[in-house]
Amino acid sequence: MYKVNENYLKLPGSYLFSTIAKKVAAFAEANPDKKIIRLGIGDVTQPLTPPIIAALHSAVDEMASAETFRGYAPDLGYAFLRETIAREDFAARGCEIYADEIFVSDGAKSDSGNIQELFDGSCRIAVCDPVYPVYVDSNVMAGRTGTYDAATGYWSDVIYMPCTEANGFVAELPKERPDIIYLCFPNNPTGAAIRRDELQRWVDYANENGCVIIYDAAYEAYISEENVPHSVYECEGARSCAIEIRSFSKNAGFTGVRLGYTVVPKDLKCGNASLHDMWARRHGTKYNGAPYIMQKAGEACYTEEGRKSIRGLVEFYMKNARTIYDGLKDMGYTVYGGVNSPYIWLKTPDGMTSWEFFDYLLERANVVGTPGSGFGPNGEGFFRLTAFGSYENSLAALERIRSL
Ligand code: MLT
Protein backbone atom coordinates (compact mmCIF):
# COMPACT_ATOMS: atom_id res chain seq x y z
CA MET A 1 0.00 0.00 0.00
CA TYR A 2 1.28 3.47 -0.79
CA LYS A 3 1.78 5.95 2.02
CA VAL A 4 0.40 9.45 2.20
CA ASN A 5 2.27 12.56 3.29
CA GLU A 6 1.35 12.25 6.94
CA ASN A 7 2.21 15.87 7.57
CA TYR A 8 -1.13 16.75 5.97
CA LEU A 9 -2.89 14.69 8.62
CA LYS A 10 -1.38 16.86 11.34
CA LEU A 11 -3.25 19.94 10.08
CA PRO A 12 -6.18 20.73 12.34
CA GLY A 13 -9.59 21.30 10.69
CA SER A 14 -9.82 23.06 7.34
CA TYR A 15 -8.22 26.24 6.02
CA LEU A 16 -9.54 29.24 8.01
CA PHE A 17 -11.45 30.80 5.14
CA SER A 18 -12.97 27.47 4.12
CA THR A 19 -14.26 26.99 7.68
CA ILE A 20 -15.81 30.45 7.62
CA ALA A 21 -17.34 29.89 4.17
CA LYS A 22 -18.96 26.66 5.41
CA LYS A 23 -20.38 28.36 8.51
CA VAL A 24 -21.76 31.25 6.45
CA ALA A 25 -23.26 28.88 3.84
CA ALA A 26 -25.03 26.93 6.59
CA PHE A 27 -26.39 30.14 8.09
CA ALA A 28 -27.56 31.38 4.67
CA GLU A 29 -29.32 28.11 3.97
CA ALA A 30 -31.12 28.17 7.30
CA ASN A 31 -32.00 31.88 6.92
CA PRO A 32 -32.74 32.48 3.23
CA ASP A 33 -34.50 35.78 3.99
CA LYS A 34 -31.45 37.40 5.62
CA LYS A 35 -29.21 39.70 3.60
CA ILE A 36 -25.69 38.81 4.65
CA ILE A 37 -22.91 41.42 4.41
CA ARG A 38 -19.55 39.76 3.83
CA LEU A 39 -16.56 41.56 5.28
CA GLY A 40 -14.64 38.37 6.02
CA ILE A 41 -12.19 37.17 3.39
CA GLY A 42 -10.06 39.89 1.83
CA ASP A 43 -11.59 39.51 -1.61
CA VAL A 44 -12.19 42.58 -3.75
CA THR A 45 -15.64 43.52 -5.02
CA GLN A 46 -15.00 46.29 -7.56
CA PRO A 47 -14.68 45.33 -11.23
CA LEU A 48 -11.41 45.44 -13.15
CA THR A 49 -10.80 48.99 -14.35
CA PRO A 50 -11.29 50.11 -18.01
CA PRO A 51 -7.54 50.27 -18.92
CA ILE A 52 -7.09 46.72 -17.62
CA ILE A 53 -10.17 45.47 -19.45
CA ALA A 54 -8.92 47.14 -22.65
CA ALA A 55 -5.52 45.42 -22.29
CA LEU A 56 -7.24 42.09 -21.71
CA HIS A 57 -9.49 42.49 -24.76
CA SER A 58 -6.58 43.40 -26.96
CA ALA A 59 -4.51 40.44 -25.68
CA VAL A 60 -7.45 38.09 -26.23
CA ASP A 61 -7.70 39.36 -29.82
CA GLU A 62 -4.01 38.61 -30.31
CA MET A 63 -4.71 35.03 -29.28
CA ALA A 64 -7.30 34.77 -32.09
CA SER A 65 -4.80 35.17 -34.90
CA ALA A 66 -1.99 32.78 -35.87
CA GLU A 67 0.48 35.68 -36.29
CA THR A 68 0.05 36.97 -32.76
CA PHE A 69 -1.03 33.84 -30.92
CA ARG A 70 1.14 32.88 -27.91
CA GLY A 71 1.56 29.42 -26.47
CA TYR A 72 3.52 28.68 -23.33
CA ALA A 73 4.66 31.86 -21.64
CA PRO A 74 8.34 32.07 -20.61
CA ASP A 75 8.25 30.34 -17.24
CA LEU A 76 9.81 33.29 -15.42
CA GLY A 77 7.47 35.80 -17.09
CA TYR A 78 7.53 37.96 -20.24
CA ALA A 79 10.36 40.49 -20.35
CA PHE A 80 7.88 43.34 -21.06
CA LEU A 81 6.30 42.78 -17.62
CA ARG A 82 9.44 42.02 -15.66
CA GLU A 83 11.20 45.10 -17.04
CA THR A 84 8.20 47.28 -16.24
CA ILE A 85 8.02 45.93 -12.69
CA ALA A 86 11.76 46.44 -12.13
CA ARG A 87 11.51 50.04 -13.32
CA GLU A 88 8.20 51.07 -11.72
CA ASP A 89 8.05 49.12 -8.46
CA PHE A 90 11.74 49.17 -7.59
CA ALA A 91 14.01 51.58 -9.51
CA ALA A 92 11.42 54.34 -9.02
CA ARG A 93 11.76 53.82 -5.25
CA GLY A 94 15.52 53.68 -5.33
CA CYS A 95 15.66 49.88 -4.93
CA GLU A 96 18.29 47.90 -6.80
CA ILE A 97 16.25 45.07 -8.30
CA TYR A 98 16.74 43.80 -11.85
CA ALA A 99 14.21 42.37 -14.29
CA ASP A 100 15.87 38.96 -14.21
CA GLU A 101 15.38 38.79 -10.45
CA ILE A 102 11.59 38.98 -10.86
CA PHE A 103 9.55 35.80 -11.21
CA VAL A 104 6.01 36.34 -12.48
CA SER A 105 3.45 33.92 -11.07
CA ASP A 106 -0.23 33.23 -10.59
CA GLY A 107 -0.31 35.09 -7.30
CA ALA A 108 1.16 35.77 -3.89
CA LYS A 109 -0.71 32.97 -2.17
CA SER A 110 0.91 30.24 -4.27
CA ASP A 111 4.32 31.86 -4.00
CA SER A 112 4.10 32.30 -0.24
CA GLY A 113 3.05 28.66 0.08
CA ASN A 114 5.66 27.30 -2.35
CA ILE A 115 8.73 29.34 -1.42
CA GLN A 116 9.49 27.10 1.58
CA GLU A 117 10.49 24.33 -0.88
CA LEU A 118 13.86 26.05 -1.24
CA PHE A 119 14.82 25.29 2.35
CA ASP A 120 15.95 22.21 4.18
CA GLY A 121 13.46 20.32 6.32
CA SER A 122 15.46 21.14 9.42
CA CYS A 123 15.11 24.92 9.03
CA ARG A 124 13.16 26.66 11.78
CA ILE A 125 10.59 29.21 10.78
CA ALA A 126 9.62 32.30 12.75
CA VAL A 127 6.18 33.76 12.21
CA CYS A 128 4.21 36.62 13.66
CA ASP A 129 1.33 35.69 15.92
CA PRO A 130 -1.34 36.37 14.62
CA VAL A 131 -0.27 35.34 11.11
CA TYR A 132 -1.63 34.70 7.61
CA PRO A 133 -2.21 30.92 7.91
CA VAL A 134 -0.53 29.97 4.61
CA TYR A 135 3.00 30.51 5.98
CA VAL A 136 2.55 28.01 8.81
CA ASP A 137 0.32 25.49 7.03
CA SER A 138 2.64 25.19 4.03
CA ASN A 139 5.54 24.44 6.37
CA VAL A 140 3.41 21.89 8.23
CA MET A 141 2.70 20.14 4.91
CA ALA A 142 6.44 20.07 4.22
CA GLY A 143 7.18 18.50 7.61
CA ARG A 144 9.09 21.49 8.92
CA THR A 145 7.00 21.75 12.08
CA GLY A 146 6.52 19.40 15.02
CA THR A 147 3.14 18.69 16.54
CA TYR A 148 0.12 20.86 17.04
CA ASP A 149 -1.03 21.58 20.57
CA ALA A 150 -4.77 22.16 20.36
CA ALA A 151 -4.81 23.60 23.89
CA THR A 152 -2.38 26.41 23.08
CA GLY A 153 -2.90 26.67 19.31
CA TYR A 154 0.87 26.45 18.75
CA TRP A 155 3.05 24.09 16.72
CA SER A 156 6.22 22.80 18.28
CA ASP A 157 9.42 23.76 16.43
CA VAL A 158 7.94 27.05 15.24
CA ILE A 159 9.13 30.34 16.68
CA TYR A 160 6.12 32.57 17.31
CA MET A 161 6.65 36.31 17.55
CA PRO A 162 3.76 37.91 19.43
CA CYS A 163 2.12 40.93 17.84
CA THR A 164 0.10 42.64 20.50
CA GLU A 165 -1.39 45.99 21.41
CA ALA A 166 1.71 46.58 23.56
CA ASN A 167 4.12 46.38 20.61
CA GLY A 168 1.74 48.02 18.13
CA PHE A 169 1.38 44.64 16.36
CA VAL A 170 4.97 44.84 15.12
CA ALA A 171 6.92 41.85 16.44
CA GLU A 172 10.15 42.23 18.35
CA LEU A 173 13.25 40.42 17.12
CA PRO A 174 13.04 36.76 18.16
CA LYS A 175 14.95 35.56 21.23
CA GLU A 176 15.86 32.26 19.56
CA ARG A 177 17.54 32.36 16.17
CA PRO A 178 15.27 31.23 13.31
CA ASP A 179 16.41 30.27 9.81
CA ILE A 180 13.43 31.64 7.93
CA ILE A 181 11.49 34.73 9.04
CA TYR A 182 8.08 35.48 7.57
CA LEU A 183 7.05 39.13 7.67
CA CYS A 184 3.97 40.68 6.10
CA PHE A 185 3.62 44.46 5.98
CA PRO A 186 1.21 46.18 5.80
CA ASN A 187 0.09 43.30 7.92
CA ASN A 188 -2.58 40.76 7.32
CA PRO A 189 -4.52 40.43 9.63
CA THR A 190 -3.80 43.33 12.01
CA GLY A 191 -3.46 46.11 9.43
CA ALA A 192 -0.29 47.31 11.20
CA ALA A 193 2.51 48.93 9.21
CA ILE A 194 6.24 48.85 9.91
CA ARG A 195 8.47 51.94 9.85
CA ARG A 196 11.55 51.93 7.61
CA ASP A 197 13.96 52.04 10.58
CA GLU A 198 12.13 49.10 12.21
CA LEU A 199 12.34 47.03 9.03
CA GLN A 200 16.03 47.92 8.70
CA ARG A 201 16.56 46.28 12.13
CA TRP A 202 15.06 43.04 10.77
CA VAL A 203 17.27 43.16 7.70
CA ASP A 204 20.37 43.77 9.84
CA TYR A 205 19.35 40.93 12.18
CA ALA A 206 18.85 38.55 9.23
CA ASN A 207 22.23 39.40 7.72
CA GLU A 208 24.01 39.10 11.07
CA ASN A 209 22.35 35.80 11.95
CA GLY A 210 22.27 34.02 8.59
CA CYS A 211 18.47 34.12 8.26
CA VAL A 212 16.32 34.67 5.20
CA ILE A 213 13.31 37.00 5.33
CA ILE A 214 10.24 36.13 3.29
CA TYR A 215 8.63 39.55 2.95
CA ASP A 216 5.00 39.55 1.88
CA ALA A 217 4.16 43.01 0.53
CA ALA A 218 0.78 42.12 -0.98
CA TYR A 219 -0.86 45.19 0.62
CA GLU A 220 1.84 47.71 -0.33
CA ALA A 221 -0.59 49.82 -2.42
CA TYR A 222 -2.48 50.77 0.76
CA ILE A 223 0.45 52.55 2.38
CA SER A 224 -0.48 56.16 3.08
CA GLU A 225 2.27 57.22 5.49
CA GLU A 226 5.67 58.55 4.47
CA ASN A 227 7.97 56.57 6.75
CA VAL A 228 6.45 53.21 5.81
CA PRO A 229 8.54 51.26 3.26
CA HIS A 230 6.83 49.86 0.16
CA SER A 231 9.51 47.24 -0.33
CA VAL A 232 12.01 45.47 1.90
CA TYR A 233 14.65 46.47 -0.68
CA GLU A 234 14.36 50.05 0.55
CA CYS A 235 16.50 48.73 3.43
CA GLU A 236 20.24 48.50 3.07
CA GLY A 237 21.49 44.93 2.82
CA ALA A 238 18.12 43.39 1.92
CA ARG A 239 19.47 41.98 -1.36
CA SER A 240 21.50 39.44 0.56
CA CYS A 241 18.78 38.28 2.97
CA ALA A 242 15.27 38.92 1.64
CA ILE A 243 12.77 37.51 -0.82
CA GLU A 244 9.76 39.72 -1.56
CA ILE A 245 6.32 38.57 -2.65
CA ARG A 246 3.90 40.90 -4.42
CA SER A 247 0.36 40.62 -5.70
CA PHE A 248 -1.88 42.28 -8.30
CA SER A 249 -4.94 41.12 -6.35
CA LYS A 250 -5.32 43.80 -3.75
CA ASN A 251 -4.23 46.83 -5.78
CA ALA A 252 -5.71 46.04 -9.21
CA GLY A 253 -8.44 43.62 -8.15
CA PHE A 254 -6.97 40.49 -9.81
CA THR A 255 -8.17 38.03 -7.12
CA GLY A 256 -10.25 36.15 -9.69
CA VAL A 257 -7.80 36.33 -12.61
CA ARG A 258 -4.50 35.69 -10.76
CA LEU A 259 -1.20 37.45 -11.17
CA GLY A 260 1.66 38.11 -8.78
CA TYR A 261 5.41 38.01 -8.62
CA THR A 262 8.30 37.14 -6.36
CA VAL A 263 11.68 38.82 -6.21
CA VAL A 264 14.70 36.66 -5.48
CA PRO A 265 17.87 38.76 -5.72
CA LYS A 266 21.00 37.16 -7.10
CA ASP A 267 22.92 38.19 -3.95
CA LEU A 268 20.82 35.79 -1.89
CA LYS A 269 23.17 32.89 -1.35
CA CYS A 270 23.48 30.07 1.14
CA GLY A 271 27.10 29.02 0.80
CA ASN A 272 27.48 28.30 -2.90
CA ALA A 273 23.77 27.80 -3.45
CA SER A 274 21.98 30.65 -5.21
CA LEU A 275 18.36 30.90 -4.11
CA HIS A 276 17.67 32.76 -7.34
CA ASP A 277 18.90 29.83 -9.44
CA MET A 278 17.01 27.36 -7.29
CA TRP A 279 13.73 29.29 -7.64
CA ALA A 280 14.35 29.57 -11.38
CA ARG A 281 14.87 25.80 -11.51
CA ARG A 282 11.65 25.26 -9.61
CA HIS A 283 9.70 27.59 -11.90
CA GLY A 284 11.12 25.86 -14.95
CA THR A 285 10.16 22.45 -13.67
CA LYS A 286 6.80 23.07 -12.05
CA TYR A 287 5.33 26.08 -13.80
CA ASN A 288 4.49 27.04 -17.36
CA GLY A 289 4.14 30.74 -16.77
CA ALA A 290 1.24 33.08 -16.03
CA PRO A 291 -1.07 33.52 -19.05
CA TYR A 292 -0.01 36.07 -21.67
CA ILE A 293 -3.32 37.88 -21.40
CA MET A 294 -2.84 38.33 -17.65
CA GLN A 295 0.71 39.55 -18.07
CA LYS A 296 -0.54 42.14 -20.58
CA ALA A 297 -3.18 43.15 -18.00
CA GLY A 298 -0.40 43.38 -15.41
CA GLU A 299 1.63 45.63 -17.71
CA ALA A 300 -1.42 47.88 -18.16
CA CYS A 301 -1.43 48.55 -14.40
CA TYR A 302 1.71 50.67 -14.89
CA THR A 303 0.54 52.98 -17.69
CA GLU A 304 -0.54 56.45 -16.65
CA GLU A 305 -4.20 55.55 -17.13
CA GLY A 306 -3.74 52.19 -15.45
CA ARG A 307 -2.06 53.72 -12.43
CA LYS A 308 -4.77 56.34 -12.10
CA SER A 309 -7.52 53.75 -12.27
CA ILE A 310 -5.83 51.55 -9.67
CA ARG A 311 -5.30 54.50 -7.37
CA GLY A 312 -9.06 55.02 -7.69
CA LEU A 313 -9.70 51.45 -6.52
CA VAL A 314 -7.38 51.79 -3.55
CA GLU A 315 -8.96 55.13 -2.59
CA PHE A 316 -12.41 53.55 -2.89
CA TYR A 317 -11.47 50.78 -0.44
CA MET A 318 -9.61 53.14 1.87
CA LYS A 319 -12.72 55.31 2.17
CA ASN A 320 -14.49 52.17 3.42
CA ALA A 321 -11.59 51.49 5.79
CA ARG A 322 -11.84 55.00 7.29
CA THR A 323 -15.61 54.75 7.52
CA ILE A 324 -15.50 51.41 9.34
CA TYR A 325 -12.61 52.49 11.56
CA ASP A 326 -14.25 55.80 12.58
CA GLY A 327 -17.70 54.25 12.94
CA LEU A 328 -16.49 51.51 15.26
CA LYS A 329 -14.42 53.95 17.28
CA ASP A 330 -17.46 56.16 17.64
CA MET A 331 -19.36 53.19 19.05
CA GLY A 332 -16.66 52.70 21.68
CA TYR A 333 -14.74 49.83 20.08
CA THR A 334 -10.97 49.65 20.35
CA VAL A 335 -9.83 49.67 16.73
CA TYR A 336 -6.52 49.28 14.88
CA GLY A 337 -5.34 49.10 11.27
CA GLY A 338 -7.21 50.81 8.46
CA VAL A 339 -4.61 53.56 7.85
CA ASN A 340 -2.04 51.77 5.67
CA SER A 341 -4.19 48.73 5.14
CA PRO A 342 -7.64 47.59 4.00
CA TYR A 343 -8.00 45.59 7.24
CA ILE A 344 -9.60 46.85 10.42
CA TRP A 345 -8.59 44.96 13.54
CA LEU A 346 -10.91 45.43 16.48
CA LYS A 347 -11.10 44.17 20.01
CA THR A 348 -14.13 42.01 20.66
CA PRO A 349 -16.54 43.59 23.13
CA ASP A 350 -17.50 42.31 26.59
CA GLY A 351 -14.71 39.72 26.77
CA MET A 352 -16.21 37.64 23.95
CA THR A 353 -13.86 35.21 22.23
CA SER A 354 -13.19 35.87 18.57
CA TRP A 355 -15.44 32.98 17.48
CA GLU A 356 -18.22 34.02 19.91
CA PHE A 357 -18.15 37.47 18.34
CA PHE A 358 -18.14 35.89 14.85
CA ASP A 359 -21.33 33.94 15.68
CA TYR A 360 -22.90 36.92 17.42
CA LEU A 361 -22.30 39.22 14.43
CA LEU A 362 -23.42 36.61 11.92
CA GLU A 363 -26.60 35.69 13.77
CA ARG A 364 -27.62 39.11 15.10
CA ALA A 365 -26.31 41.51 12.46
CA ASN A 366 -25.83 39.11 9.52
CA VAL A 367 -22.35 40.53 9.09
CA VAL A 368 -19.41 38.24 8.35
CA GLY A 369 -15.92 39.04 9.62
CA THR A 370 -12.87 36.94 10.45
CA PRO A 371 -12.16 35.75 13.99
CA GLY A 372 -8.73 36.94 15.10
CA SER A 373 -7.97 33.63 16.83
CA GLY A 374 -8.11 31.95 13.40
CA PHE A 375 -4.79 33.68 12.70
CA GLY A 376 -3.11 32.51 15.90
CA PRO A 377 -3.43 32.56 19.69
CA ASN A 378 -2.50 36.23 20.00
CA GLY A 379 -5.43 37.02 17.72
CA GLU A 380 -7.82 35.78 20.39
CA GLY A 381 -10.14 38.55 21.53
CA PHE A 382 -9.74 40.36 18.19
CA PHE A 383 -11.73 40.41 14.99
CA ARG A 384 -10.90 41.44 11.43
CA LEU A 385 -13.19 43.37 9.09
CA THR A 386 -12.20 44.09 5.52
CA ALA A 387 -12.71 47.31 3.60
CA PHE A 388 -13.11 45.38 0.34
CA GLY A 389 -16.93 45.53 0.36
CA SER A 390 -19.04 48.25 -1.25
CA TYR A 391 -19.40 51.61 0.50
CA GLU A 392 -23.12 50.97 1.00
CA ASN A 393 -22.42 47.62 2.64
CA SER A 394 -19.70 49.11 4.83
CA LEU A 395 -22.20 51.71 6.07
CA ALA A 396 -24.99 49.16 6.43
CA ALA A 397 -22.72 46.80 8.41
CA LEU A 398 -21.85 49.65 10.76
CA GLU A 399 -25.51 50.52 11.28
CA ARG A 400 -26.32 46.90 12.05
CA ILE A 401 -23.46 46.70 14.56
CA ARG A 402 -24.54 49.98 16.12
CA SER A 403 -28.05 48.68 16.68
CA LEU A 404 -26.95 45.48 18.47
C1 MLT B 1 -7.40 37.16 3.55
O1 MLT B 1 -8.60 37.37 3.69
O2 MLT B 1 -6.61 37.06 4.50
C2 MLT B 1 -6.89 37.10 2.17
O3 MLT B 1 -7.90 37.17 1.24
C3 MLT B 1 -6.18 35.87 1.97
C4 MLT B 1 -5.52 35.84 0.66
O4 MLT B 1 -5.28 36.87 0.04
O5 MLT B 1 -5.20 34.74 0.27
Side-chain angles (χ1 to χ4, degrees):
M1 187 66 178
Y2 59 84
K3 289 188 177 163
V4 295
N5 176 354
E6 296 220 346
N7 296 313
Y8 275 68
L9 310 181
K10 293 187 196 169
L11 288 163
S14 56
Y15 183 60
L16 172 63
F17 293 104
S18 315
T19 308
I20 292 170
K22 275 186 214 136
K23 268 184 165 259
V24 175
F27 179 83
E29 201 183 324
N31 300 277
D33 54 317
K34 303 273 198 248
K35 187 180 171 296
I36 297 172
I37 299 179
R38 294 163 202 268
L39 304 179
I41 191 161
D43 194 4
V44 296
T45 52
Q46 290 300 296
L48 300 178
T49 61
I52 308 298
I53 291 292
L56 278 168
H57 280 164
S58 139
V60 167
D61 285 344
E62 285 183 65
M63 297 302 258
S65 141
E67 288 73 50
T68 47
F69 170 78
R70 315 274 174 141
Y72 291 129
D75 45 55
L76 306 191
Y78 283 101
F80 65 76
L81 181 56
R82 300 164 88 200
E83 280 160 13
T84 305
I85 291 171
R87 188 177 64 244
E88 303 294 331
D89 284 347
F90 298 102
R93 292 197 179 277
C95 305
E96 186 194 348
I97 290 296
Y98 303 99
D100 60 357
E101 297 175 320
I102 291 160
F103 296 77
V104 177
S105 73
D106 66 342
K109 184 175 185 176
S110 351
D111 283 354
S112 57
N114 291 328
I115 197 77
Q116 47 74 28
E117 284 184 26
L118 297 188
F119 305 100
D120 188 76
S122 67
C123 285
R124 286 195 85 188
I125 64 162
V127 293
C128 292
D129 169 23
V131 66
Y132 179 45
V134 172
Y135 313 149
V136 177
D137 289 3
S138 57
N139 278 286
V140 174
M141 291 168 178
R144 208 168 281 109
T145 57
T147 48
Y148 182 67
D149 181 345
T152 61
Y154 288 126
W155 290 89
S156 61
D157 298 337
V158 172
I159 298 170
Y160 288 93
M161 307 182 292
C163 295
T164 62
E165 285 178 288
N167 60 23
F169 305 102
V170 176
E172 279 121 46
L173 296 171
K175 291 187 180 65
E176 292 171 82
R177 183 201 153 273
D179 296 296
I180 306 164
I181 301 167
Y182 285 88
L183 294 178
C184 170
F185 287 109
N187 186 255
N188 180 13
T190 65
I194 193 165
R195 290 192 320 263
R196 197 170 287 107
D197 59 315
E198 291 172 321
L199 186 56
Q200 183 65 57
R201 273 210 297 278
W202 283 92
V203 168
D204 294 344
Y205 174 88
N207 276 324
E208 282 157 21
N209 290 278
C211 316
V212 62
I213 295 174
I214 314 281
Y215 194 75
D216 183 347
Y219 298 93
E220 160 278 332
Y222 291 84
I223 292 172
S224 65
E225 293 179 319
E226 254 314 295
N227 59 354
V228 176
H230 288 249
S231 164
V232 70
Y233 304 112
E234 290 179 39
C235 297
E236 217 170 295
R239 282 185 59 82
S240 57
C241 69
I243 289 172
E244 181 163 305
I245 298 172
R246 292 274 193 112
S247 169
F248 287 84
S249 288
K250 316 291 175 173
N251 57 347
F254 282 20
T255 55
V257 288
R258 314 303 307 149
L259 193 70
Y261 68 86
T262 285
V263 181
V264 188
K266 291 189 176 167
D267 297 3
L268 201 44
K269 296 228 165 91
C270 178
N272 288 328
S274 152
L275 268 62
H276 174 278
D277 294 353
M278 289 168 69
W279 192 237
R281 184 71 171 84
R282 186 212 176 261
H283 254 248
T285 303
K286 295 196 176 184
Y287 194 55
N288 262 335
Y292 173 70
I293 58 172
M294 287 321 304
Q295 296 198 46
K296 288 305 278 184
E299 185 189 31
C301 294
Y302 296 93
T303 62
E304 203 181 316
E305 268 197 307
R307 275 185 182 290
K308 208 166 133 205
S309 72
I310 288 169
R311 213 174 309 124
L313 283 181
V314 170
E315 278 164 14
F316 176 92
Y317 293 129
M318 285 312 277
K319 180 175 165 197
N320 293 344
R322 267 194 309 279
T323 305
I324 298 171
Y325 182 100
D326 291 345
L328 288 171
K329 225 172 176 137
D330 190 52
M331 288 177 225
Y333 282 84
T334 304
V335 201
Y336 299 97
V339 175
N340 295 294
S341 158
Y343 293 130
I344 292 96
W345 186 243
L346 59 127
K347 250 178 134 158
T348 55
D350 307 324
M352 275 190 229
T353 66
S354 301
W355 277 107
E356 280 167 357
F357 190 61
F358 174 88
D359 289 333
Y360 176 73
L361 267 200
L362 178 60
E363 282 157 25
R364 304 276 295 276
N366 311 143
V367 171
V368 181
T370 308
S373 57
F375 297 101
N378 268 300
E380 182 56 277
F382 287 90
F383 199 74
R384 194 193 77 176
L385 289 174
T386 132
F388 286 127
S390 67
Y391 182 60
E392 293 68 31
N393 275 348
S394 303
L395 284 180
L398 277 178
E399 277 327 298
R400 291 184 191 182
I401 295 171
R402 196 185 291 279
S403 65
L404 284 174

